[in-house]
């Protein structure tokens, strides 16, 4: 008896390259999947999509609780505290505006030293700071913060003034962020970084605040990803979790009825404006994933495929839909 096997592939950044997509090679397997699939709406943001796939709901006037879930995805034990992501950033002034940029290089020792200075200043306020990754920090509090924030990815390159926290406690948190900037500006760690030509870490970007959400237990049998949010959601929902597999056969071998795979490498390449890196990873996906999916659907080894390429789309393909040979392939740039 054939068992139903459902696979969801979340690959944000697959669409939306604009003119750059015209320089990409043809990708026959992916193009066939896209041409024959039915298209449906889905949440626009990656955070909103992932939470929705696990049945989570966001309270009005609140962030998606990215920080508390990502922290669990990094290996921390779940708790009841309110957590913010507090990612290290570089702030630069131009005329009368301040702009936000990512910090690309920061080792764990530097992160620990800078975080230690922040923790020392706010110890009496009950702040808890963790740095499981040099570029992903977490700030925990006993009581919730009555603000909404802008995800770091959406704020990068923008004017800081338009991305400050909003809400009932906005002025308080804006003041705290200014205090953090002054503290980090005076740090010896940043003096050493500037002396060797690295940009200083002169700010922390707070976003994704909240406590752990309620999730659908068993929403997915297995979650495969290197993304801390996807891994955290998987662990909290009771799924088996593992790193991003090399190819589709690894997922089939897991014998799980409902598998979710989240690959953010294309999104990372787009953020870095690295078209060569983007094209190389896309070629790997074509060879190791897309080329195997259509045969798996036709043979019944896979019952349903959902592809989430970002930009509010869900593309669904079944065995019957995969036979729509009259739907002509188009290059990725056409999407």
């Amino acid at each position: 008896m054939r068992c139903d096997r459902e696979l969801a592939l979340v690959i944000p950044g697959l669409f939306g390259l604009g003119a750059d997509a015209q320089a990409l090679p043809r990708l026959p397997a992916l193009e066939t999947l896209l041409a024959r699939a039915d298209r449906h709406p889905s949440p626009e943001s990656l955070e909103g999509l992932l939470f929705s796939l696990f049945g989570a709901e966001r309270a009005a006037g609140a962030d998606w609780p990215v920080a508390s879930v990502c922290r669990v995805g990094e290996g921390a034990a779940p708790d009841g505290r309110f957590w913010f992501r507090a990612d290290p950033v570089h702030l630069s002034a131009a005329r009368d505006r301040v702009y936000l940029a990512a910090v690309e290089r920061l080792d764990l020792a530097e992160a620990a030293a800078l975080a230690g200075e922040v923790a020392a200043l706010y110890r009496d306020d009950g702040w808890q700071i963790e740095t499981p990754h040099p570029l992903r920090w977490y700030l925990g509090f006993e009581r919730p913060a009555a603000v909404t924030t802008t995800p770091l990815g959406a704020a990068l390159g923008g004017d800081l003034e338009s991305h400050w926290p909003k809400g009932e406690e906005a002025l308080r948190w804006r003041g705290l962020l200014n205090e953090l900037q002054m503290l980090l500006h005076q740090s010896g760690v940043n003096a050493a970084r500037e002396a060797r030509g690295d940009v200083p870490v002169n700010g922390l970007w707070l976003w994704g605040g909240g406590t752990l959400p309620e999730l659908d237990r068993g929403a997915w049998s297995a979650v495969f990803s290197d993304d801390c949010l996807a891994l955290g959601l998987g662990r909290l929902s009771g799924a088996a979790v593992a790193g991003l597999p090399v190819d589709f056969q690894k997922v089939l071998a897991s014998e799980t009825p409902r598998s979710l795979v989240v690959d953010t490498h294309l999104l990372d390449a787009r953020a870095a404006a690295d078209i060569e890196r983007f094209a190389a990873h896309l070629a790997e996906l074509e060879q190791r994933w897309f080329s195997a999916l259509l045969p798996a659907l036709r043979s019944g080894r896979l019952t349903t495929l959902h592809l989430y390429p970002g930009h509010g789309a869900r593309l669904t393909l079944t065995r019957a839909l995969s036979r729509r040979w009259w739907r002509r392939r188009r290059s990725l740039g056409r999407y």
Side-chain angles (χ1 to χ4, degrees):
M1 183 176 66
R2 191 184 71 188
C3 296
D4 287 346
R5 299 287 301 274
E6 184 175 357
L7 171 65
L9 273 178
V10 178
I11 310 179
L14 189 59
F15 294 166
L17 282 172
D20 288 340
Q22 306 302 326
L24 295 175
R26 295 301 297 263
L27 304 157
L30 173 59
E31 292 169 11
T32 301
L33 292 170
L34 296 177
R36 299 184 183 180
D38 280 343
R39 185 165 182 156
H40 308 274
S42 79
E44 288 278 348
S45 71
L46 176 60
E47 295 84 12
L49 170 60
L50 290 179
F51 277 103
S52 71
L53 288 174
F54 287 86
E57 296 182 359
R58 179 169 57 174
D63 292 343
W64 285 114
V66 170
S68 61
V69 176
C70 273
R71 180 176 168 271
V72 173
E74 306 265 21
D79 68 12
R81 293 173 74 93
F82 182 100
W83 290 93
F84 273 125
R85 280 280 292 266
D87 295 336
V89 295
H90 174 66
L91 304 172
S92 59
R95 296 184 179 178
D96 58 344
R97 297 185 178 183
V98 177
Y99 294 94
L100 185 71
V103 174
E104 296 182 0
R105 290 187 301 274
L106 184 68
D107 64 40
L108 196 54
E110 290 176 315
L114 290 168
E117 294 177 25
V118 173
L121 180 62
Y122 294 101
R123 185 172 292 115
D124 292 342
D125 296 322
W127 288 26
Q128 182 175 332
I129 187 165
E130 298 175 357
T131 56
H133 186 281
L135 300 178
R136 292 192 299 271
W137 300 12
Y138 299 87
L139 275 178
F141 309 91
E142 291 296 336
R143 70 177 188 87
V147 290
T148 57
T149 63
T150 302
L152 177 60
L156 288 174
D159 177 13
L160 189 64
E161 188 64 31
S162 61
H163 296 303
W164 282 112
K166 298 175 176 61
E168 182 181 334
E169 296 181 341
L171 288 178
R172 172 176 179 263
W173 283 98
R174 181 166 181 163
L176 287 170
L177 287 171
N178 284 326
E179 286 181 7
L180 287 170
Q181 291 172 33
M182 290 187 286
L183 170 67
L184 294 169
H185 176 74
Q186 298 167 3
S187 173
V189 173
N190 277 322
R193 286 178 61 81
E194 291 186 276
R196 65 172 185 265
D198 286 333
V199 298
V201 178
N202 56 8
L204 295 181
W205 192 248
L206 304 187
W207 67 282
T211 57
L212 289 174
E214 293 186 9
L215 304 176
D216 288 344
R217 298 288 297 179
W220 298 93
S221 312
V223 176
F224 301 89
S225 185
D226 296 331
D227 177 75
C228 61
L229 178 57
L231 292 173
L233 288 166
R235 288 187 174 124
L236 290 166
S237 68
V241 298
L244 195 65
V246 174
D247 55 35
F248 173 56
Q249 303 306 324
K250 298 290 185 182
V251 175
L252 278 184
S254 69
E255 297 185 353
T256 52
R258 301 191 74 235
S259 298
L260 173 66
V261 177
V262 180
D263 182 351
T264 60
H265 292 299
L266 288 179
L267 194 64
D268 294 339
R270 279 188 57 207
D274 190 338
I275 188 64
E276 292 184 2
R277 177 178 157 198
F278 183 95
H281 188 62
L282 197 58
E284 288 183 7
L285 289 172
E286 172 77 2
Q287 177 184 359
R288 298 177 179 177
W289 284 86
F290 302 137
S291 62
L293 291 173
L294 201 58
L297 283 164
R298 289 170 174 164
S299 67
R301 297 179 71 199
L302 183 63
T303 309
T304 306
L305 168 68
H306 303 291
L307 176 61
Y308 295 88
H311 295 272
R314 170 172 63 86
L315 299 159
T316 295
L317 201 59
T318 63
R319 186 178 189 180
L321 296 179
S322 71
R323 296 173 177 153
R324 296 196 284 194
W325 54 267
W326 58 90
R327 288 199 171 190
R328 299 182 61 183
R329 298 197 314 242
R330 299 186 298 169
S331 67
L332 186 61
R334 296 290 296 275
Y335 292 89

